[in-house]
Amino acid sequence: MSPATIRPARIEDVPAASRLAAALVRQHHAFDPDRFMLVEPVEEGYARFLSTQVDREGVVLLVAELDGTVVGYLLGGLEGRDWMLLLDDCGMIHDVYVDASARGRGIGTAIVEEAVARLVAMGVPRVVLSTAWPNEAARRLFAKLGFRETMVEMTREAGGSHHSG
């Protein structure tokens, strides 16, 4: 069991959640700067966005709190049928991030399982998420939690330039 308290985010959690979200953005940008945009100031942009998501219907916005400090964050929600993706109504986990200082304690597992439970309670038949290919730790976690690989995104830069990585 996780030592953290997993709970819905409150408006006062937005600054801490925004810092974690920004760390996730920077991690992705570091994986592949051609694919993952980085628009500074990331924290401020996420704070504006997340403040609109707190208590919003159909949104799951969770934090993991350890000893009074927010160390994890998850954003998910209900998604309608998407013909382009051939994806029926589902729950989607958009972001999940646990601060490096708090990893290895089951917090990622706990926050994902709580999000899945909340999405299933909203009536979804499945939960979908994406993870960056180089993020092997996240891929292992999601596989352990019963997520299966269904798509592989591939990117090619305009002009045919090749990015190795």
Side-chain angles (χ1 to χ4, degrees):
M1 191 167 123
S2 166
T5 300
I6 310 299
R7 60 172 175 77
R10 300 185 288 258
I11 197 70
E12 58 268 24
D13 298 316
V14 165
S18 298
R19 284 191 295 277
L20 295 168
L24 180 63
V25 169
R26 290 188 178 100
Q27 178 187 45
H28 282 79
H29 183 72
F31 286 145
D32 187 341
D34 291 334
R35 163 59 180 85
F36 296 104
M37 67 181 193
L38 176 61
V39 180
E40 296 287 5
V42 182
E43 287 84 354
E44 287 82 348
Y46 251 100
R48 281 192 302 275
F49 170 66
L50 291 178
S51 66
T52 69
Q53 302 303 297
V54 174
D55 297 327
R56 185 171 175 181
E57 190 174 341
V59 170
V60 174
L61 180 55
L62 302 174
V63 294
E65 191 175 46
L66 188 61
D67 300 324
T69 301
V70 171
V71 296
Y73 140 86
L74 183 145
L75 175 65
L78 301 178
E79 297 292 325
R81 178 175 286 173
D82 186 325
W83 286 96
M84 296 298 287
L85 295 176
L86 299 178
L87 185 60
D88 212 343
D89 295 345
C90 64
M92 190 164 291
I93 295 174
H94 300 289
D95 290 357
V96 58
Y97 190 83
V98 175
D99 187 79
S101 67
R103 291 182 191 155
R105 303 182 192 192
I107 295 170
T109 295
I111 201 167
V112 169
E113 292 288 26
E114 179 65 21
V116 168
R118 287 172 180 268
L119 290 164
V120 168
M122 292 178 188
V124 303
R126 75 193 44 82
V127 177
V128 177
L129 57 77
S130 297
T131 187
W133 186 256
N135 194 346
E136 293 179 11
R139 289 175 27 219
R140 278 193 307 275
L141 171 66
F142 300 140
K144 182 185 88 173
L145 297 179
F147 288 86
R148 67 186 186 279
E149 295 173 0
T150 53
M151 291 288 290
V152 174
E153 176 186 277
M154 299 177 76
T155 302
R156 177 177 162 171
E157 302 310 312
S161 64
H162 301 286
H163 175 85
S164 61

